[in-house]
């Protein structure tokens, strides 16, 4: 029992140990931010590497907690994203007064996400979700002297409280109608009668809030814009990915009896999300808002993949999220560097960026191309497989509209490329010197963007771990 | 011969370019790479003849088939027939010529040649793919370099044109994508040769054929989706214009033939009247629109719309001769337009204007450039002895074989457009090359060695096809026969 406990909970325990280590470092004598950051990044690296070894399948705490190869893979993806974000925010945190607190908050949310992904019970799921949300709202306020930052935190805490309320309401009705909260038993009890559906819709709305699907997306742009870039990238990549992981597995297992219902819901949600996300992204000038809306549109594509409800559907969702981690973090990495050093965050500021910073321009271009889905970047494969999984249902109009929306999204990604390469600017962003850690993170992202797509075993591996309905 | 070489060579060239310093190194690497590629393509042609003469009658030669994504049945399946070889030779010639023409590209030379080579890689990959996923992959690879080439190195309203081109071509590939999905979920395969053996039900074909055909058609300037052509060509730098007209538009024609018509022949038959209608409109509208142009590049761009109409017309008529003609027209148009754009680029770099009204008497100071300009023009209007005549003649002959009265009317109208072509070509050529020369142009110099070489490669191609059309006809005939078998199967069934 005890060995089971240590082996199955390994990834959560490592994070907990790091959190305690950080507390002790905080108590100890004053060290420079650089040293602390280097140590933390080393910890996170060890955490990432440790995730690949000695994982087992199993259940703990009477089905509250379960883990298997797929769950471990998902956690590894989150670990990777966490490490990359940490490396990228080096320039920003170097100057910050409260480095350790920042990591305490983020690692707590990461721990919450791990429990959420591993949950086998709606209560456990809810606990994990809350643990992953509340510290994040505090982290959104981490530009302590900026009013926008606290506004963002306030918006986030209120909107997530609202979505949690929806979830809880849904959970309580589910308990009322089925008498259980355990995932494996729930699927036997659920049928398509009105009360069940009402509970299900409440639950799905809660999820939609967290992944900012339209019409539950309104908090996203403001929070993304106000929060510090590091938190924004964490929000848009890690926290979204975690909820999507749970979403897809919950839909495919617990809510299997309601498959036709949620197919229709996803159909509407995905189209609305893609179209609205795209339309808003067209006119943004703030880079963070721009990426916020573009990430809303990306979620719409992911929902199409989920709606495929096949093994390929689940595989393509996880595969796409992995690619999305690389592409979005490459984009955020450049934005975060520029923002930390010059304070500029508008797309117009990036005019003639290529003349001063060719390397960063190419990295940002590759990242945007991957987000847009242009070969040979991985984004092409990701989008292709998502839509292909969605097309399995035979709804070609949905696929056609989604494909045409890719063209719209193309316009706004190319707009940034155009600003960097083609427009002239009297005072372009000056040549930036890039510290070693952010540079390394950017290189990892670029390599990831190129390799994840072309090497087919990544997808085949994920496919072999996935399961459909 | 290992066909992957055709993709690897440009890839290696592109990577080496990234590590070069200065214009001189970059352009030498690019030229070396493209010349080796041209030689490899010629070698491929020889190898193909050897195989054919040895009695190998399989539809695709030098096939190699490797699994790429096991879970989704996606293969890296490549192989060539005569049509692909013709296209590959065309691409290789245009790439060499394009690189020679950009010999003095000072601005961001490394990026420029890198993108040119990347574009050509997309085209080679596209022409040798026998798997729909791989084909689509390479089709899209060839789009983005165009956006950057036009937007960064172009002239005039370059950003607008670049964006328009990229978005329209992307919309084209979005439509193609839907078509591919339809085919895949009908047959559970992306393999072109496998799919061609299966029978897709007529209703399914009728639903997905328009997606695939219009999608590829956008690349090939199908009316009314041709609007990217004039702006894109006119704003692009010379080499990019050559690539656009000589390579990119051929991707569309080849796709219409290899994917849409080959895999969904019944739908092609059912919709042929729409295809022919659109093609005829494009031919006539393109020709008259060209009459109104005053800018040399716009003249050539609009005439491209008209000439690519012949390609679509040939495909739509669905007779062996007409499809032969369509392929011939693709090759011929590719060479001729590339030559035309090269000549315009040479004139522009010296006179700094492309307006017909401001030019005149250039024959006196630049006889070589004027000559190739006139050659390209005469080829365009279909003078016997050049490739244009052979191609258009074949299309007309093939079209006439289709006994339907309306189709014959379309053929007659398309033939009549040649008169209009003659008007605008002779007028532009006469005004530019003949007549008195203004004083400021009197000091200009003729073509340099690289420009002469570039033009020579293209002129050789044009004249070779024009004088000995049977050479290329023999090359592509087995390929088109194959496609006709698909179409013929169903016609005899009825």
């Amino acid at each position: 029992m005890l060995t089971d406990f240590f082996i199955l909970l390994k990834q959560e325990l490592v994070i907990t140990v790091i959190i305690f280590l950080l507390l002790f470092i905080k108590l100890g004598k004053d060290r420079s931010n650089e040293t602390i950051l280097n140590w933390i990044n080393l910890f996170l690296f060890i955490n990432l590497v440790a995730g690949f070894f000695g994982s087992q399948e199993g259940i703990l705490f009477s089905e509250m907690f379960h883990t298997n190869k797929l769950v471990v893979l998902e956690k590894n993806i989150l670990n990777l994203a966490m490490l990359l974000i940490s490396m990228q925010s080096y320039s920003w945190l170097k100057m910050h007064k409260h480095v350790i607190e920042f990591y305490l908050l983020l690692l707590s949310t990461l721990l919450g996400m791990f429990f959420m992904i591993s949950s086998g019970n709606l209560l456990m799921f809810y606990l994990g979700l809350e643990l992953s949300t509340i510290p994040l709202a505090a982290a959104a306020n981490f530009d302590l002297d900026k009013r926008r930052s606290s506004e963002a935190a306030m918006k986030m805490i209120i909107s997530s409280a609202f979505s949690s309320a929806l979830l809880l309401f849904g959970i309580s009705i589910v308990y009322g109608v089925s008498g259980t909260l355990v995932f494996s038993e729930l699927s036997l009890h659920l049928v398509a009668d009105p009360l069940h559906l009402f509970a299900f819709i409440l639950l799905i709305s809660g999820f939609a809030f967290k992944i900012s699907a339209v019409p539950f997306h309104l908090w996203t742009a403001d929070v993304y814009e106000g929060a510090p870039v590091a938190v924004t990238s964490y929000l848009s990549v890690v926290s979204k990915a975690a909820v999507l992981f749970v979403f897809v597995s919950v839909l495919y297992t617990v809510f299997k009896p309601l498959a036709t219902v949620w197919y229709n819901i996803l159909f509407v949600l995905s189209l609305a999300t893609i179209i609205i996300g795209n339309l808003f992204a067209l006119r943004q000038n703030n880079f963070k808002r721009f990426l916020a809306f573009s990430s809303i549109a990306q979620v719409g594509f992911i929902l199409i993949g989920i709606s495929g409800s096949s093994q390929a559907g689940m595989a393509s969702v996880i595969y796409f999220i992995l690619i999305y981690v690389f592409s979005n973090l490459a984009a955020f990495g450049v934005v975060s560097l520029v923002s930390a050093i010059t304070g500029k965050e508008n797309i117009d500021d990036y005019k003639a960026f290529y003349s001063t910073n060719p390397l960063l321009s190419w990295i940002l271009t590759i990242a945007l191309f991957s987000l847009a889905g242009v070969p040979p970047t991985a984004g092409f494969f990701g989008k292709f497989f998502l839509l292909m999984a969605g097309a399995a249902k035979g709804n070609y109009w949905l696929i056609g509209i989604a494909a045409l929306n890719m063209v719209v999204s193309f316009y706004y990604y190319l707009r940034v490329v155009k600003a960097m390469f083609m427009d002239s600017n009297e005072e372009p962003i000056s040549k930036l010197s890039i510290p070693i850690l952010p540079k390394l993170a950017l290189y990892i992202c670029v390599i990831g963007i190129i390799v994840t797509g072309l090497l087919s075993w990544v997808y085949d591996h994920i496919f072999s771990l996935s399961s459909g309905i | 011969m290992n066909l992957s070489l055709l993709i690897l060579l440009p890839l290696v060239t592109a990577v080496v370019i990234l590590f070069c310093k200065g214009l001189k190194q970059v352009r030498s690497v690019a030229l070396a790479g493209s010349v080796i590629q041209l030689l490899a393509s010629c070698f491929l042609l020889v190898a193909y003849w050897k195989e054919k003469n040895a009695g190998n009658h399989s539809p695709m030669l030098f096939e190699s088939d490797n699994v790429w994504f096991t879970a989704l049945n996606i293969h890296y399946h490549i192989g060539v027939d005569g049509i692909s070889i013709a296209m590959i030779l065309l691409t290789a010639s245009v790439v060499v010529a394009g690189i020679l023409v950009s010999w003095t590209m000072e601005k961001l030379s490394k990026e420029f040649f890198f993108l040119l080579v990347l574009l050509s890689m997309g085209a080679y990959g596209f022409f040798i793919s026998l798997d729909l996923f791989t084909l689509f992959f390479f089709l899209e690879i060839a789009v983005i370099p165009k956006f950057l080439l036009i937007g960064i190195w172009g002239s005039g309203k370059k950003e607008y044109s670049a964006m328009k081109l990229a978005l329209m071509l992307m919309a084209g590939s979005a439509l193609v994508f839907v078509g591919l999905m339809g085919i895949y979920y009908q047959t559970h395969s992306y393999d072109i040769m496998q799919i061609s053996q299966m029978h897709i039900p007529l209703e399914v074909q009728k639903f997905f054929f328009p997606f695939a055909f219009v999608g590829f058609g956008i690349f090939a300037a199908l009316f009314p989706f041709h609007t990217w052509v004039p702006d894109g060509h006119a704003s692009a730098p010379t080499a990019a214009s050559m690539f656009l007209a000589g390579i990119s538009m051929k991707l569309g024609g080849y796709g219409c033939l290899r994917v849409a018509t080959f895999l969904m022949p019944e739908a092609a038959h059912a919709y042929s009247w729409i295809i022919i209608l659109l093609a005829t409109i494009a031919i006539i509208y393109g020709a008259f629109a060209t009459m109104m142009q005053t800018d040399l590049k716009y003249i050539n761009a609009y005439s491209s719309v008209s000439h690519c109409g012949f390609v679509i017309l040939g495909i739509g008529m669905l007779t062996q001769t007409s499809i032969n003609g369509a392929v011939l027209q693709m090759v011929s148009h590719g060479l001729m337009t590339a030559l035309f754009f090269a000549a315009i680029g040479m004139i522009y770099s010296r006179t700094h204007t492309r307006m017909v009204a401001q030019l005149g008497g250039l024959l006196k100071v630049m006889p070589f450039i004027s000559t190739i300009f006139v050659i390209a023009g005469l080829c365009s209007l279909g003078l016997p002895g050049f490739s244009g005549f052979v191609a258009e003649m074949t299309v007309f002959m093939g079209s006439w074989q289709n006994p339907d009265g309306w189709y014959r009317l379309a053929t007659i109208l398309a033939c009549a457009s040649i008169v209009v072509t003659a008007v605008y070509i002779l007028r532009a050529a006469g005004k530019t090359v003949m007549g008195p020369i203004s004083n400021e142009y009197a000091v200009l110099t003729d073509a340099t060695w690289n420009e002469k070489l570039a033009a020579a490669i293209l002129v050789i191609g044009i004249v070779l096809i024009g004088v000995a059309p049977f050479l290329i006809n023999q090359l592509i005939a087995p390929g088109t026969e194959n496609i006709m078998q698909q179409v013929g199967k169903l016609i005899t069934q009825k």
Side-chain angles (χ1 to χ4, degrees):
Chain A
M1 178 63 202
L2 203 62
T3 44
D4 261 12
F5 176 80
F6 280 113
I7 290 174
L8 295 182
L9 273 175
K10 185 194 63 189
Q11 283 170 302
E12 287 76 11
L13 288 173
V14 174
I15 301 266
T16 320
V17 168
I18 296 178
I19 291 178
F20 277 101
L21 270 178
L22 290 182
L23 280 174
F24 284 120
I25 295 177
K26 178 77 188 168
L27 286 177
K29 68 170 186 211
D30 276 346
R31 289 185 178 81
S32 73
N33 274 354
E34 276 94 344
T35 345
I36 295 177
L37 281 170
N38 288 336
W39 275 108
I40 293 176
N41 282 311
L42 182 66
F43 292 155
L44 290 176
F45 180 70
I46 293 170
N47 172 39
L48 173 66
V49 174
F52 287 97
F53 297 103
S55 47
Q56 279 184 7
E57 306 200 359
I59 305 171
L60 277 181
F61 316 133
S62 58
E63 285 197 44
M64 280 276 183
F65 182 96
H66 75 98
T67 180
N68 56 36
K69 279 186 179 158
L70 185 68
V71 169
V72 171
L73 175 77
E74 289 171 349
K75 288 178 186 169
N76 284 338
I77 293 178
L78 297 187
N79 273 335
L80 173 73
M82 177 75 213
L83 175 66
L84 287 174
I85 291 171
S86 161
M87 286 161 80
Q88 283 172 355
S89 34
Y90 182 81
S91 323
W92 173 65
L93 284 172
K94 204 172 60 177
M95 263 94 82
H96 208 283
K97 278 181 294 196
H98 303 282
V99 178
I100 292 188
E101 285 87 338
F102 180 75
Y103 279 98
L104 288 177
L105 290 173
L106 284 198
L107 287 173
S108 315
T109 65
L110 194 63
L111 190 62
M113 286 165 198
F114 281 10
F115 277 112
M116 182 170 79
I117 294 175
S118 278
S119 58
N121 184 308
L122 277 176
L123 274 184
M124 188 68 192
F125 161 73
Y126 180 73
L127 278 178
L129 186 73
E130 285 304 285
L131 181 55
S132 73
T133 314
I134 296 170
L136 206 50
N141 193 13
F142 230 70
D143 266 340
L144 296 170
D145 44 356
K146 280 192 191 157
R147 270 185 62 189
R148 301 203 76 132
S149 187
S150 39
E151 183 191 327
M154 208 60 209
K155 274 184 181 150
M156 194 179 157
I157 196 96
I158 290 174
S159 62
S160 47
F162 187 67
S163 73
S164 301
L166 286 179
L167 268 176
L168 268 183
F169 192 24
I171 291 175
S172 50
I173 298 178
V174 166
Y175 187 69
V177 296
S178 65
T180 177
L181 289 174
V182 182
F183 283 174
S184 52
E185 293 170 21
L186 266 178
S187 56
L188 307 173
H189 291 287
L190 287 173
V191 282
D193 77 8
L195 195 56
H196 290 217
L197 289 182
F198 181 59
F200 175 65
I201 285 168
L202 286 175
L203 284 175
I204 226 176
S205 318
F207 274 111
F209 249 111
K210 302 289 178 195
I211 58 175
S212 56
V214 174
F216 307 100
H217 66 291
L218 291 164
W219 61 279
T220 321
D222 289 346
V223 173
Y224 279 26
E225 189 188 359
V229 185
V231 180
T232 308
S233 48
Y234 190 84
L235 270 170
S236 81
V237 176
V238 181
S239 85
K240 228 175 228 186
V243 180
L244 280 165
F245 287 146
V246 185
F247 193 46
V248 69
S249 60
V250 166
L251 283 184
Y252 280 22
T253 54
V254 182
F255 296 109
K256 195 154 81 176
L258 305 178
T260 40
V261 178
W262 59 251
Y263 175 75
N264 292 327
I265 294 178
L266 285 186
F267 181 92
V268 178
L269 275 185
S270 59
L271 271 191
T273 309
I274 294 177
I275 293 172
I276 305 276
N278 269 344
L279 290 183
F280 277 94
L282 283 176
R283 318 247 345 143
Q284 299 306 323
N285 192 27
N286 180 292
F287 218 117
K288 277 155 50 184
R289 278 186 91 86
F290 165 77
L291 284 173
F293 281 110
S294 95
S295 80
I296 291 177
Q298 305 279 353
V299 166
F301 285 101
I302 294 178
L303 292 181
I304 291 184
I306 298 178
S307 78
S309 53
S310 58
Q311 192 178 2
M314 185 188 258
S316 63
V317 169
I318 294 165
Y319 180 64
F320 185 81
I321 288 173
L322 174 65
I323 292 163
Y324 179 72
V325 165
F326 287 126
S327 341
N328 222 22
L329 286 185
F332 268 116
V334 176
V335 175
S336 132
L337 264 176
V338 173
S339 154
I341 298 175
T342 66
K344 292 180 177 172
E345 284 183 358
N346 284 337
I347 293 178
D348 282 344
D349 297 329
Y350 283 76
K351 282 183 177 170
F353 192 50
Y354 186 67
S355 59
T356 50
N357 294 288
L359 180 70
L360 287 180
S361 303
W362 276 119
I363 292 175
L364 189 53
T365 307
I366 291 174
L368 292 175
F369 281 167
S370 182
L371 288 173
V374 179
T377 61
F380 168 78
F381 296 89
K383 284 251 170 78
F384 194 102
F385 296 160
L386 277 179
L387 293 186
M388 191 175 150
K393 285 277 181 180
N395 209 330
Y396 294 101
W397 292 113
L398 172 68
I399 301 307
I401 295 171
L404 286 177
N405 264 287
M406 277 182 72
V407 181
V408 178
S409 72
F410 220 72
Y411 169 75
Y412 54 77
Y413 292 122
L414 285 184
R415 206 166 63 101
V416 182
V417 177
K418 171 177 155 293
M420 288 192 295
F421 284 85
M422 298 163 201
D423 289 344
S424 55
N425 191 351
E426 281 172 9
E427 32 183 331
I429 294 168
S430 53
K431 176 127 187 69
L432 305 177
S433 64
I434 318 168
I436 181 85
L437 277 177
K439 202 178 210 170
L440 197 60
L442 287 176
Y443 283 147
I444 294 174
C445 288
V446 170
I447 292 171
I449 288 175
I450 292 167
V451 167
T452 327
L454 293 171
L455 289 187
S456 54
W457 66 260
V458 180
Y459 182 82
D460 285 336
H461 177 66
I462 296 176
F463 187 85
S464 69
L465 298 180
S466 314
S467 57
I469 287 188
Chain B
M1 166 168 185
N2 191 348
L3 286 176
S4 295
L5 203 65
L6 289 177
I7 307 173
L8 279 177
L9 269 173
L11 188 64
V12 171
T13 316
V15 172
V16 174
I17 285 176
L18 283 184
F19 291 99
C20 287
K21 282 213 165 58
L23 172 64
K24 279 188 181 158
Q25 276 189 19
V26 169
R27 69 187 183 193
S28 338
V29 171
L31 183 66
S34 61
V35 168
I36 296 174
Q37 181 84 355
L38 182 60
L39 293 178
S41 313
C42 294
F43 180 74
L44 174 67
L45 178 70
V46 175
Y48 175 84
W49 279 127
K50 270 188 189 155
E51 283 285 320
K52 279 285 167 201
N53 289 337
N56 188 343
H57 290 299
S58 58
M60 290 291 163
L61 292 181
F62 312 116
E63 277 187 71
S64 96
D65 190 352
N66 298 300
V67 181
W68 194 0
F69 290 88
T70 326
L72 301 172
N73 197 15
I74 289 171
H75 291 234
Y76 172 71
H77 184 188
I78 50 175
V80 286
D81 65 354
I83 303 177
S84 343
I85 292 183
M87 292 297 147
I88 289 167
L89 280 170
L90 165 70
T91 309
S93 329
V94 174
V95 172
V96 174
I99 285 172
L100 280 170
V101 165
S102 337
W103 202 241
T104 50
M105 174 58 74
E106 293 286 351
K107 182 184 174 190
L108 300 176
S109 49
K110 188 195 280 189
E111 289 84 346
F112 184 80
F113 285 103
F114 174 78
L115 290 172
L116 282 187
V117 175
L118 193 68
L119 206 170
S120 75
M121 187 186 86
Y124 291 121
F126 181 84
F127 290 132
I128 61 173
S129 298
L130 289 180
D131 183 274
L132 290 174
F133 180 85
T134 327
L135 184 116
F136 187 70
F137 175 76
F138 284 113
L139 177 71
E140 289 216 340
I141 283 193
V143 174
I144 284 302
K146 290 175 213 160
F147 170 77
L148 293 168
L149 282 169
I150 296 176
I152 301 177
W153 292 274
S155 55
K157 38 177 190 171
K158 54 184 182 160
E159 284 101 357
Y160 167 79
S161 311
M163 197 61 101
K164 186 172 180 179
L165 172 136
L167 292 182
M168 287 194 72
L169 293 189
M170 273 302 175
S173 37
L175 294 179
V176 171
F177 174 78
V178 179
L180 295 195
M181 287 299 108
I183 297 176
Y184 177 78
Y185 280 106
Q186 195 60 42
T187 60
H188 291 280
S189 167
Y190 279 123
D191 193 294
I192 294 182
M193 301 318 283
Q194 260 179 32
I195 297 171
S196 70
Q197 302 300 320
M198 302 180 203
H199 184 252
I200 304 175
L202 180 60
E203 311 81 69
V204 180
Q205 288 196 17
K206 273 191 156 174
F207 186 78
F208 290 108
F209 179 82
F211 284 102
F213 196 89
V214 173
F216 282 118
I218 293 179
F219 282 79
L222 173 74
F223 182 86
F225 308 106
H226 63 282
T227 51
W228 64 272
V229 179
D231 291 322
H233 283 74
S235 305
T238 306
S241 298
M242 293 166 69
F243 275 41
L244 266 180
I247 304 171
S248 302
M249 291 173 80
K250 307 303 165 284
L251 301 178
Y254 182 84
C256 284
L257 202 58
R258 174 76 79 215
V259 178
T261 311
F262 185 54
L263 298 183
M264 297 182 274
E266 291 176 64
H269 192 69
Y271 286 122
S272 62
W273 66 274
I274 302 182
I275 300 172
I276 288 164
L277 181 68
L278 292 179
T280 316
I281 295 176
I283 291 170
I284 296 182
Y285 161 82
F288 278 104
T290 319
M291 292 256 286
M292 305 301 298
Q293 302 304 320
T294 53
D295 181 322
L296 280 177
K297 269 198 161 178
Y298 271 101
I299 290 180
N300 198 15
Y302 272 105
S303 84
S304 280
V305 174
S306 172
H307 283 111
C308 278
F310 288 119
V311 176
I312 307 280
L313 184 77
I315 296 174
M317 287 293 180
L318 286 179
T319 65
Q320 159 126 39
T321 319
S322 75
I323 290 183
N324 259 341
V327 177
L328 272 174
Q329 174 73 353
M330 279 198 263
V331 179
S332 150
H333 174 259
L335 292 169
M336 162 192 98
T337 322
L339 182 66
F340 218 144
F341 276 121
I344 294 170
M346 294 174 202
I347 293 175
Y348 178 72
S349 66
R350 289 170 173 77
T351 61
H352 302 290
T353 180
R354 296 192 305 244
M355 291 301 165
V356 177
Q358 294 170 12
L359 296 166
L362 295 181
L363 189 60
K364 297 187 182 72
V365 283
M366 26 181 134
F368 184 85
I369 298 177
S370 306
T371 313
I372 58 166
F373 184 76
V374 173
I375 289 178
L378 294 179
C379 178
S380 172
L381 67 75
L383 191 76
F386 295 120
S387 61
F389 170 76
V390 177
E392 284 170 18
M393 199 61 197
T394 321
V395 173
F396 296 144
M397 301 264 288
S399 304
W400 197 257
Q401 287 170 1
N402 201 322
D404 186 288
W406 290 105
Y407 290 7
R408 291 203 161 162
L409 179 67
T411 314
I412 294 171
L413 286 172
C415 283
S417 80
I418 291 194
V419 182
V420 186
T421 313
V423 173
Y424 64 73
I425 290 290
L426 292 178
R427 202 170 59 184
K431 181 73 187 61
T432 316
V433 176
M434 313 289 181
I437 186 167
S438 70
N439 288 332
E440 51 177 324
Y441 298 150
V443 290
L444 296 175
T445 50
D446 202 6
T448 52
W449 67 270
N450 52 305
E451 293 171 330
K452 282 183 182 164
L453 197 55
I457 292 169
L458 298 172
V459 171
I460 289 172
I462 291 174
V463 174
L464 200 63
I465 299 175
V467 178
F470 53 88
L471 284 178
I472 186 161
N473 234 330
Q474 279 172 5
L475 178 65
I476 60 179
T480 51
E481 261 167 37
N482 223 347
I483 292 171
M484 279 316 291
Q485 264 178 10
Q486 284 289 107
V487 181
K489 250 192 275 176
L490 73 109
I491 292 176
T492 46
Q493 271 167 14
K494 283 177 187 163

